[in-house]
Amino acid sequence: MTAHTPETSGKTYSVTRTDEQWRAQLDPQEYHVLRQAGTERPFTGEYEDTTTEGVYACRACGAELFTSSEKFSSHCGWPSFFDPKDSDAVELLEDRSLGMRRVEVRCATCGSHLGHVFEGEGYPTPTDQRYCINSISLTLRPTQA
């Protein structure tokens, strides 16, 4: 598990809490990933292989982020989506941690770290993007039958 201190985007989020409040709400692993920009170990998350239909929401604030119709199997070890539910559901920030240049994905409602987005990997999706998202950053709300 790696972590870096998230850079501030300068954005004011509609859901804000103190660090103490986040620690009280989230378990230590959730806090590490969502608030410290950590990463869960590959192939360990509960949503990596799920095909349940529904909406994936931010575990920290409940904002709707992705749907099962945008989820695809990339076999990378984390849930993958080719697009967010709405274009303003996530915030994209440059991430230069760990000696790499990547694009970090955050919840646009609370600023929690979700994962990273990659382009041009050749997956047969409409956007040629892979939103590589930590399962622990999400809560699946199944579609009611």
Side-chain angles (χ1 to χ4, degrees):
M1 291 183 298
T2 59
H4 70 278
T5 304
E7 298 299 320
T8 179
S9 69
K11 178 180 176 175
T12 301
Y13 299 103
S14 59
V15 173
T16 59
R17 293 184 175 83
T18 65
D19 188 59
E20 188 175 273
Q21 290 170 321
W22 284 122
R23 287 182 186 274
Q25 175 187 331
L26 303 168
D27 72 30
Q29 181 64 18
E30 292 168 346
Y31 180 85
H32 173 70
V33 173
L34 288 157
R35 304 309 304 170
Q36 296 180 312
T39 301
E40 67 190 353
R41 289 188 338 268
F43 303 103
T44 62
E46 66 181 307
Y47 301 128
E48 183 212 350
D49 291 326
T50 188
T51 57
T52 302
E53 290 186 20
V55 174
Y56 291 85
C58 175
R59 191 174 298 248
C61 74
E64 294 185 353
L65 303 170
F66 301 95
T67 69
S68 56
S69 62
E70 289 115 11
K71 189 173 188 287
F72 70 99
S73 186
S74 68
H75 308 288
C76 70
W78 295 273
S80 296
F81 303 87
F82 61 82
D83 215 11
K85 181 178 183 293
D86 296 306
S87 60
D88 59 354
V90 298
E91 176 183 28
L92 303 179
L93 298 167
E94 184 174 288
D95 175 1
R96 291 185 176 259
S97 67
L98 306 175
M100 297 182 271
R101 187 173 180 274
R102 301 179 291 174
V103 178
E104 180 184 9
V105 181
R106 289 189 192 174
C107 173
T109 302
C110 70
S112 288
H113 174 77
L114 305 171
H116 291 87
V117 61
F118 303 95
E119 291 188 72
E121 296 178 316
Y123 289 102
T125 63
T127 63
D128 199 24
Q129 294 181 315
R130 177 174 58 94
Y131 284 78
C132 183
I133 306 298
N134 291 285
S135 284
I136 203 165
S137 296
L138 304 171
T139 301
L140 174 59
R141 298 177 185 154
T143 302
Q144 300 299 318

